[in-house]
Amino acid sequence: MTDNPPLSPRNKIALAYAKNLGYYKFPGGGIHEGEENTSALIREVEEETGLEVIPESIEEAGLVSRIMQSEMFPKTIFVQDSFHYFCRVKMSPDGTPLIKNQKLDDYEKDDGFELRIVTIAEAIQTNLRFKSDNYAKLDMIARETLVMEKLCGIDENLPRAFAETLLEKCVAKNPGPWREHSYAVAQAAEKIAWAVNENAAATGSTTPLLNPDFAYTCGLLHDIGRQMGYTYMAHVYDGYHFLKNLGYDQLAKICLTHSFNLHIIDDYIGKIDITDSQYEELKNLLAATEYDDYDRLIQLLDSTCGADGTKNMEDRMNDVKQRYGHYPEGKWNKNFELKDYFEKLMGRELYEVIK
Ligand SMILES: [Fe+2]
């Protein structure tokens, strides 16, 4: 979908806005037993927004299929398919949509659902600021936001509250210093993204700008594969597949690339604790991947930020060298190259920016 996005962030669409909590979602809901998908679409749009769908205008937009551990029942897998459609609605002669009465259920009433016709950019920005203690709600809003982003072909951003809750849930499965390390990399990535953008604005350079929120999320989730246990190359493999399964292709790519600054799998520092076929899979994925500034940024910061809050590349690399017994020279030199690269983009010293 991202190769040829059907919508632009400036397009306006009809969404359900939860005015008591401040989030947007696509009108929609569960399909009744024996009900056609499109009948459910027509019914749900009318219930949640009062709009009347024109049946002939319905076109398939895509499917989000998720398989995950149930939040409610232990040892239970939760499978959910969400079908997305484009459609138009009946209009009155004055050119405004015909609106019937909504029929909201209790949770929709509590959240204060109302019809809003807004740009997708505004809906995404509102959702990215959404905060809640309710994981199921955070997860639902993150999913809706991801679909909006994919429809427009823009960076996959998660609401920060969702990304942070996701990290905490994963750290709870395997507590360790990777939590502090992930936060340190995230905060430093965000600062560098701002510094790159400020320097580009000040110097009039045509360097592509970086999205500070996306940079933060890349840093926060780059080691998410560590939730599976105390692993080495397996954390790259597990992190990649974990985020890929959630639909976050760009973030999954960061999990894949962050340990390989030379773009080759062979000089990995640490044990190869994956099967031969998984190794082949990683090798092929890596070879098919083109590095961008987000990959380079997390490679640099993974080699700079320790778990103890230290932010010094040589200290961090010496610590790794001590723990693993070696640090390949090419990898070591590449990190200094990455430091120079971002210092040029920022027009400032790395440590001054990320301190
Ligand atoms: Fe890592």
Side-chain angles (χ1 to χ4, degrees):
M1 202 177 265
T2 46
D3 290 343
N4 189 17
L7 295 175
S8 137
R10 290 185 302 276
N11 286 140
K12 282 189 170 182
I13 56 173
L15 293 170
Y17 178 64
K19 66 173 184 294
N20 296 339
L21 293 181
Y23 69 82
Y24 284 94
K25 74 178 272 294
F26 293 106
I31 303 168
H32 293 168
E33 188 83 43
E35 190 179 33
E36 291 283 329
N37 287 8
T38 49
S39 307
L41 167 76
I42 293 166
R43 177 180 54 72
E44 284 285 350
V45 169
E46 188 172 324
E47 285 175 5
E48 290 188 1
T49 65
L51 293 169
E52 276 188 85
V53 170
I54 302 170
E56 307 77 58
S57 73
I58 298 172
E59 270 178 60
E60 285 183 11
L63 165 68
V64 177
S65 190
R66 304 181 97 187
I67 302 169
M68 54 203 161
Q69 195 182 318
S70 166
E71 286 295 314
M72 290 165 80
F73 308 104
K75 295 187 181 167
T76 303
I77 300 293
F78 176 66
V79 180
Q80 183 185 42
D81 286 340
S82 305
F83 303 89
H84 289 264
Y85 297 91
F86 293 115
C87 59
R88 287 195 296 280
V89 294
K90 292 184 185 163
M91 307 291 276
S92 56
D94 68 2
T96 57
L98 277 173
I99 300 173
K100 291 181 166 179
N101 284 335
Q102 292 167 291
K103 284 180 222 144
L104 300 179
D105 63 24
D106 288 347
Y107 110 81
E108 293 164 350
K109 272 186 204 149
D110 288 348
D111 287 9
F113 274 23
E114 63 180 27
L115 166 67
R116 291 270 180 103
I117 296 169
V118 288
T119 62
I120 307 177
E122 186 184 331
I124 291 171
Q125 285 313 313
T126 302
N127 283 1
L128 289 180
R129 290 191 296 271
F130 180 74
K131 287 190 181 128
S132 171
D133 296 331
N134 180 334
Y135 182 75
K137 193 146 275 179
L138 279 170
D139 179 63
M140 182 272 285
I141 291 156
R143 189 194 64 217
E144 296 288 280
T145 312
L146 180 62
V147 174
M148 292 177 202
E149 289 161 349
K150 289 205 185 246
L151 286 171
C152 303
I154 57 176
D155 284 347
E156 313 161 336
N157 258 318
L158 305 87
R160 238 174 230 237
F162 175 71
E164 288 168 358
T165 308
L166 188 64
L167 177 70
E168 297 299 343
K169 280 171 78 75
C170 293
V171 167
K173 288 189 205 166
N174 177 35
W178 66 282
R179 177 185 183 273
E180 275 64 38
H181 170 70
S182 301
Y183 273 104
V185 173
Q187 286 154 4
E190 183 180 15
K191 285 178 182 171
I192 291 178
W194 281 116
V196 168
N197 296 351
E198 279 161 15
N199 192 46
T203 59
S205 110
T206 53
T207 307
L209 298 183
L210 290 172
N211 178 336
D213 289 318
F214 183 60
Y216 178 86
T217 318
C218 288
L220 201 67
L221 301 182
H222 77 282
D223 264 348
I224 203 74
R226 296 214 179 275
Q227 66 181 290
M228 306 300 282
Y230 193 83
T231 55
Y232 299 86
M233 195 182 271
H235 92 280
V236 172
Y237 187 88
D238 293 332
Y240 173 80
H241 282 289
F242 176 74
L243 290 176
K244 195 84 183 154
N245 281 338
L246 286 179
Y248 294 106
D249 300 340
Q250 290 171 278
L251 291 168
K253 179 174 170 249
I254 297 291
C255 292
L256 172 71
T257 63
H258 80 273
S259 293
F260 308 109
N261 66 1
L262 292 174
H263 210 148
I264 47 168
I265 195 168
D266 306 324
D267 66 351
Y268 183 72
I269 309 172
K271 288 182 204 158
I272 298 174
D273 50 354
I274 53 177
T275 65
D276 289 351
S277 68
Q278 288 171 332
Y279 186 88
E280 263 318 288
E281 185 189 336
L282 274 193
K283 191 174 178 173
N284 292 336
L285 283 167
L286 202 59
T289 300
E290 233 174 85
Y291 283 7
D292 61 22
D293 278 348
Y294 296 106
D295 298 298
R296 289 187 271 272
L297 181 59
I298 303 306
Q299 286 161 7
L300 168 69
L301 292 171
D302 193 32
S303 314
T304 303
C305 301
D308 52 359
T310 52
K311 293 195 178 77
N312 181 291
M313 208 165 71
E314 259 176 277
D315 289 352
R316 166 86 169 151
M317 291 196 296
N318 276 320
D319 174 53
V320 171
K321 192 174 178 176
Q322 219 167 25
R323 281 189 283 136
Y324 293 92
H326 76 296
Y327 202 110
E329 196 186 343
K331 248 177 142 58
W332 182 287
N333 293 340
K334 183 69 187 179
N335 284 333
F336 280 100
E337 220 180 271
L338 288 170
K339 181 170 172 279
D340 281 351
Y341 175 77
F342 280 101
E343 285 183 334
K344 282 201 184 84
L345 287 183
M346 297 187 290
R348 292 169 67 188
E349 294 261 328
L350 174 68
Y351 300 128
E352 182 205 324
V353 173
I354 66 172
K355 65 179 179 245

